[in-house]
Amino acid sequence: MVAVQIVNGLMEGMMLFLIASGLTLIFGITRIVNFAHGSLYMLGAFLTYQLVSHFAPGSLGGFAASVLLAALAVAALGTLFEILVLRRIYGADDLMQLIITVALVLVLRDVVQMAWGRNDVVVQMPDALAGALRIGGSYFPVFQLAIFGAGLAVLAVMVAVIRYTRAGILLRAATDDRGMVALLGINQARIFTAVFAVGSFLAGLAGGLASPFGNINYLLDTTVIVTAFIVVVIGGLGNLYGALAAALAVGVLKGLGVLYYPRLSMVLIFLIMAGVLVVRSLGRQTVGK
Amino acid sequence: MRPAESSGAVQWRLVVPAVLGALALLATLGQGAALVITDVLIMVLFASSLNLLTSYGGMVSFGHAAYFGLGAYGLALPLAKLGLPLWAGLALGPLAAALGALAIGALCVRLTHIYFAMLTLACSEIVFTILFQAYDYTGGDTGITKFMAPRLGLDPRLYGALVLAIVSACLLLLWKVVRSPIGLAIRAVGEEPHRAAALGYSPRMVQLVAFVIAGTLAGVAGTLFAVYQGNAFPDYAGIGFTIDALVMVVIGGLHSFAGGVYGAVIYTLLKTFVSRYVTEWELVIGLILLAVVLVSPAGVAGGLGRLGHALGRRSA
Amino acid sequence: MSETPLLVARNIHKTYGRFVALAGVDMALARGERRALIGPNGAGKTTLVSVIGGQQPGGAGGTVLFDGRDISGATPQAIARLGIGRTFQISRTFRKLTVLENMLAALLGNGGGAFALSARRLRELRAPALAMLREVGLAEFAREPAEAISHGDRKRLEFGMVLATRPRLLLLDEPTAGMGLAERSALMEMMVRHIAERDITLLFVEHDIDIVFRFADVITVMARGKVFAEGTPAEIAADRAVQDIYLGARH
């Protein structure tokens, strides 16, 4: 029972990583905390719902294509937002940057309600991924295993890009020392736009992939963003590997918590988030602002 | 930008007509309007309490609703579960918020910028989750209801006048705080904590004082709201209310005392009236917010200030 | 006046990761002395000033004694209250507050009463605040927000604010940086006049060699986190090694 819950937790954790990876990537490089990340996720889920209806019900290819198209559309929206709005307030104070992404949250929430209403919608699980796989005497839903695989694939691609490509080197330089990037004559605005596009894509992708998993509604945005914040903060803002570790840990903790202390598990997770923040501040002891 | 109201005196010239105007509206517009006005007034206090942190203390709290919620449950729980008298609940609401702000603030002021925002968020989510999950005590998401007559059983116009009196008193107190030595310290630390420390200030202590004052006043607003509704729900401590207050402060105008007032009035009226005709009121708020940040970062208060300046110059 | 030095720094060291900013610095300031701290960029001058002022997050190795009292690792506010004032390399003022409010904040931070709720304390401090603004030549800007006055005036304001806390030791980090030649001299003369009037001991970091030789009693030359040479302006001017590493590079 415990082992099953741990495995289930790991699988949920990978889903959390998919959600959090884009958020931490965007923060790491642009220092913007994108409150609209949950909204982009929600949009990805709704768009997948819309697109999947054009394919044969239950077809795996149709689902994959829908998720990909939805993620691309979300990426396009994120890019547009970065170019038209965010770009004008880099360097403004913290609150302005946060609040402008909150504006996007409000707008998208209503757009989603206008397009899909206030009722829950459900995306049908692809037939090929329905059912369960027997591993060591226990059954695990195929769909969750597939999500786990997808998470690993995203991670592999991100690591490869960051490690081995010119874009990745620029990204690392931009994270470590933005002044240096400017000195090297690299167009910082273009990096920021690209990062925002990728981060938005990841949000949309996560929303699409998770769409058959539960009900989709216009209230998804805040639940998702709060969860993403937990993972990103515990993992260390801007730290991709930290986000992975935190996502898996939070997933397992939730899984075990459901078993033992169903009511306290969320409180415990927020306590960990608060504890991580406080402990980190001890290392960084500075005069408080 | 000229954030500092340069004179410490209360601008009775503005305050008296505003209060009298609100009273006149309460008296003449009928019960339905009185409910809306009361809602606006409570939000004015809630937003203004957050404004002390953001505009004066340089602290962006993403968990201010925690103290609003504590104010509501501090009233509702003792009344519903312990059978305490009403006056005790009215005192315990703000007290619960003050103690919550003291405990949470003591942790949060150790952090800066986005880390501060994230920690306030985590702490308020802890409050929310406890209210939500401990249903044996709090009723969970069904909240606490029927522990008292909404609005003390008063005519909405009368309760509105009562709220008007309390909110006005709280705002006067807040004004006094801002214009007093501690207010100057809060602004100084909010702007340049290192400079302030090198002048002998203890930045964290000053920030904690600001945090507790803001939390207590948010608690008063929460208590008034729980009386107004005759109930308490976990959502009162949730991220939705926090975002509402932040949006009000930004729309109304950062770095201005009146920002919280303008923002709460505009936001609550829009929410009430726009949502009556179209469902997409959040879209409207979102677009206004975008416009404010991009066009007039000083918000409505800043815009009015500039307008007044221009008019004054013309007439001079 | 007692013979013990006002400030003693012993074996101060500070590293940032692998970078050694201070590698064992010893220094003693006599009461009433005006000491200049010079050296090439990265020599550790600002780091040393920050260690004395308590602005080094995580502290530093070694001991700092102020008037015989160990202040190593104390908070900046505790150090400020003991009587060590400082300005910053890029002057720090409360930019959204008016010039007068800046000065009031300085008087409050020092004289206590910062937690008072009554506005009377502020009214009492108005006259001393305006007087101090007059002393640093800023009375006419009292109602302007600090962000609206010139760079040089902000330096004057910051100096006046620190002066208002009645320090016994003043740390000035590049007091004339970013200013024109004529302005530099006038500003420094103003500062030194006030410092002399109040018997304040001075430690200042400065790149302008003319200013250093004109105003310092003793010069400490730092290089690579260590004290490279120390002496009167005449001695330093005659020191060939100093000329090689520092003066030579400039002239």
Side-chain angles (χ1 to χ4, degrees):
Chain A
M1 194 62 185
V2 172
V4 175
Q5 280 305 86
I6 289 178
V7 174
N8 278 336
L10 285 175
M11 290 193 282
E12 189 183 341
M14 193 53 91
M15 193 65 239
L16 295 178
F17 170 70
L18 277 173
I19 295 172
S21 56
L23 186 65
T24 208
L25 181 73
I26 289 175
F27 179 82
I29 287 149
T30 67
R31 298 285 139 181
I32 295 245
V33 176
N34 183 17
F35 231 85
H37 200 73
S39 311
L40 296 174
Y41 169 100
M42 174 172 72
L43 194 63
F46 271 111
L47 284 174
T48 302
Y49 162 78
Q50 192 71 46
L51 289 165
V52 100
S53 66
H54 295 286
F55 294 94
S59 94
L60 180 60
F63 176 70
S66 304
V67 170
L68 210 61
L69 283 174
L72 285 172
V74 172
L77 178 75
T79 312
L80 213 61
F81 182 68
E82 197 278 339
I83 292 172
L84 294 180
V85 180
L86 274 182
R87 186 173 290 181
R88 304 171 54 168
I89 56 151
Y90 289 123
D93 62 50
D94 298 352
L95 180 55
M96 284 304 178
Q97 298 190 344
L98 271 171
I99 216 79
I100 201 132
T101 63
V102 169
L104 185 59
V105 171
L106 296 174
V107 169
L108 283 181
R109 188 182 296 169
D110 262 354
V111 166
V112 161
Q113 284 179 62
M114 280 191 267
W116 293 284
R118 288 170 155 248
N119 296 325
D120 291 2
V121 303
V122 181
V123 172
Q124 192 193 340
M125 179 128 359
D127 297 335
L129 300 179
L133 213 65
R134 193 187 150 105
I135 306 172
S138 299
Y139 290 92
F140 294 100
V142 175
F143 185 73
Q144 290 204 10
L145 293 173
I147 295 267
F148 197 83
L152 285 180
V154 167
L155 178 69
V157 170
M158 284 175 87
V159 169
V161 167
I162 289 173
R163 278 265 172 93
Y164 303 115
T165 68
R166 195 178 127 76
I169 293 167
L170 291 183
L171 280 185
R172 270 183 290 161
T175 319
D176 295 342
D177 184 353
R178 271 163 285 170
M180 193 184 85
V181 177
L183 273 181
L184 291 173
I186 297 151
N187 188 340
Q188 187 175 299
R190 206 175 300 164
I191 289 187
F192 279 21
T193 310
V195 163
F196 218 83
V198 172
S200 307
F201 176 83
L202 288 170
L205 186 72
L209 283 175
S211 60
F213 212 53
N215 297 334
I216 305 161
N217 60 44
Y218 70 103
L219 296 171
L220 216 51
D221 50 357
T222 33
T223 355
V224 168
I225 191 64
V226 170
T227 317
F229 278 154
I230 295 172
V231 169
V232 167
V233 164
I234 294 179
L237 283 153
N239 183 340
L240 190 67
Y241 303 112
L244 177 66
L248 295 178
V250 168
V252 170
L253 213 66
K254 270 181 144 173
L256 292 178
V258 167
L259 216 53
Y260 296 111
Y261 307 104
R263 292 195 199 170
L264 282 179
S265 61
M266 275 319 282
V267 174
L268 183 67
I269 286 168
F270 283 116
L271 277 175
I272 293 173
M273 174 179 173
V276 165
L277 280 167
V278 172
V279 168
R280 288 236 171 86
S281 80
L282 297 180
R284 255 199 337 263
Q285 212 175 36
T286 47
V287 190
K289 169 161 181 179
Chain B
M1 227 187 306
R2 188 84 183 259
E5 295 81 0
S6 36
S7 136
V10 177
Q11 294 183 320
W12 295 111
R13 208 153 53 92
L14 297 174
V15 173
V16 173
V19 172
L20 288 180
L23 258 182
L25 289 177
L26 276 171
T28 54
L29 285 184
Q31 299 199 347
L35 290 177
V36 175
I37 292 171
T38 310
D39 194 11
V40 168
L41 287 168
I42 294 171
M43 289 303 134
V44 162
L45 180 56
F46 183 38
S48 295
S49 71
L50 179 63
N51 196 29
L52 176 70
L53 289 185
T54 50
S55 290
Y56 293 92
M59 290 176 268
V60 179
S61 169
F62 253 92
H64 203 54
Y67 317 104
F68 189 82
L70 284 173
Y73 276 84
L75 166 88
L77 271 179
L79 260 57
K81 303 287 169 183
L82 303 175
L84 291 189
L86 179 66
W87 62 264
L90 291 177
L92 286 174
L95 184 68
L99 292 177
L102 182 65
I104 292 173
L107 273 184
C108 291
V109 298
R110 308 184 65 89
L111 272 59
T112 60
H113 300 282
I114 192 64
Y115 299 95
F116 172 88
M118 285 295 129
L119 187 55
T120 52
L121 172 68
C123 291
S124 78
E125 285 294 305
I126 289 172
V127 172
F128 169 79
T129 312
I130 290 174
L131 294 177
F132 191 80
Q133 301 273 19
Y135 25 78
D136 297 343
Y137 305 98
T138 64
D141 58 354
T142 55
I144 304 179
T145 52
K146 301 196 177 85
F147 57 88
M148 67 180 293
R151 300 172 291 284
L152 310 164
L154 296 173
D155 181 296
R157 287 168 291 194
L158 210 54
Y159 183 68
L162 187 66
V163 168
L164 176 64
I166 294 172
V167 169
S168 305
C170 287
L171 288 187
L172 280 178
L173 179 78
L174 197 59
W175 175 257
K176 271 209 99 67
V177 167
V178 168
R179 307 313 308 176
S180 72
I182 180 65
L184 190 58
I186 290 169
R187 291 157 72 202
V189 169
E191 231 182 284
E192 270 288 356
H194 295 282
R195 173 73 275 165
L199 290 172
Y201 289 95
S202 305
R204 286 177 186 165
M205 191 52 84
V206 172
Q207 288 172 320
L208 182 58
V209 170
F211 203 91
V212 171
I213 295 173
T216 308
L217 290 178
V220 173
T223 304
L224 289 175
F225 195 68
V227 174
Y228 170 70
Q229 300 280 8
N231 60 36
F233 287 103
D235 279 350
Y236 295 178
I239 191 167
F241 267 87
T242 291
I243 291 180
D244 285 352
L246 277 170
V247 170
M248 288 175 203
V249 167
V250 172
I251 288 181
L254 284 171
H255 307 300
S256 153
F257 187 84
V261 181
Y262 291 137
V265 172
I266 293 168
Y267 185 91
T268 316
L269 289 183
L270 266 177
K271 183 175 178 170
T272 310
F273 292 111
V274 175
S275 62
R276 207 168 276 178
Y277 302 107
V278 287
T279 47
E280 294 80 24
W281 68 275
E282 286 191 314
L283 181 72
V284 176
I285 294 278
L287 293 177
I288 292 177
L289 205 52
L290 275 177
V292 164
V293 175
L294 294 179
V295 180
S296 169
V300 173
L304 284 179
R306 268 198 311 233
L307 192 69
H309 217 217
L311 290 176
R313 202 171 280 161
R314 194 169 300 162
S315 66
Chain C
M1 200 178 273
S2 95
E3 293 298 307
T4 58
L6 182 64
L7 184 88
V8 178
R10 276 197 212 120
N11 193 25
I12 306 295
H13 42 269
K14 175 78 192 174
T15 53
Y16 300 104
R18 245 178 274 160
F19 175 71
V20 180
L22 294 175
V25 171
D26 291 282
M27 189 166 65
L29 292 188
R31 285 157 206 276
E33 173 182 332
R34 293 204 296 265
R35 173 79 61 103
L37 207 51
I38 65 172
N41 284 327
K45 305 178 300 281
T46 294
T47 308
L48 181 61
V49 167
S50 300
V51 169
I52 298 170
Q55 277 94 8
Q56 275 303 326
T63 316
V64 183
L65 299 175
F66 179 61
D67 210 4
R69 188 169 175 167
D70 189 349
I71 59 165
S72 337
T75 60
Q77 54 268 32
I79 290 171
R81 286 181 206 140
L82 283 173
I84 300 182
R86 72 162 296 180
T87 64
F88 294 88
Q89 201 167 0
I90 297 165
S91 61
R92 291 187 171 174
T93 54
F94 308 118
R95 296 170 75 99
K96 287 202 161 54
L97 272 57
T98 65
V99 169
L100 177 62
E101 284 170 331
N102 268 272
M103 192 56 80
L104 286 170
L107 287 165
L108 267 180
N110 174 52
F115 288 98
L117 256 178
S118 150
R120 193 194 307 150
R121 180 97 185 100
L122 285 180
R123 284 198 294 274
E124 287 166 3
L125 289 176
R126 229 182 127 81
L130 282 169
M132 182 54 81
L133 286 180
R134 269 194 296 280
E135 297 226 35
V136 293
L138 292 174
E140 57 181 308
F141 300 122
R143 290 182 162 277
E144 295 293 323
E147 64 188 350
I149 62 177
S150 73
H151 172 74
D153 284 339
R154 263 204 301 282
K155 281 194 169 279
R156 283 169 185 271
L157 175 58
E158 191 188 30
F159 175 76
M161 287 162 71
V162 177
L163 210 56
T165 65
R166 300 168 182 275
R168 285 186 288 156
L169 170 65
L170 200 50
L171 313 170
L172 303 181
D173 195 355
E174 300 198 19
T176 71
M179 305 184 61
L181 273 178
E183 249 190 317
R184 278 185 202 181
S185 183
L187 180 68
M188 202 61 198
E189 274 167 20
M190 184 276 285
M191 291 183 179
V192 166
R193 179 162 45 80
H194 286 293
I195 287 165
E197 277 172 10
R198 291 167 172 79
D199 268 333
I200 296 172
T201 306
L202 173 65
L203 174 65
F204 69 108
V205 177
E206 184 54 65
H207 280 299
D208 185 327
I209 288 307
D210 298 328
I211 296 270
V212 168
F213 278 83
R214 225 175 106 197
F215 292 101
D217 305 326
V218 184
I219 298 171
T220 296
V221 185
M222 287 184 69
R224 288 195 213 93
K226 288 191 163 159
V227 173
F228 183 79
E230 196 166 284
T232 62
E235 286 166 355
I236 294 297
D239 190 324
R240 291 302 291 263
V242 171
Q243 285 175 9
D244 286 346
I245 71 135
Y246 188 68
L247 303 179
R250 298 206 124 228
H251 290 282

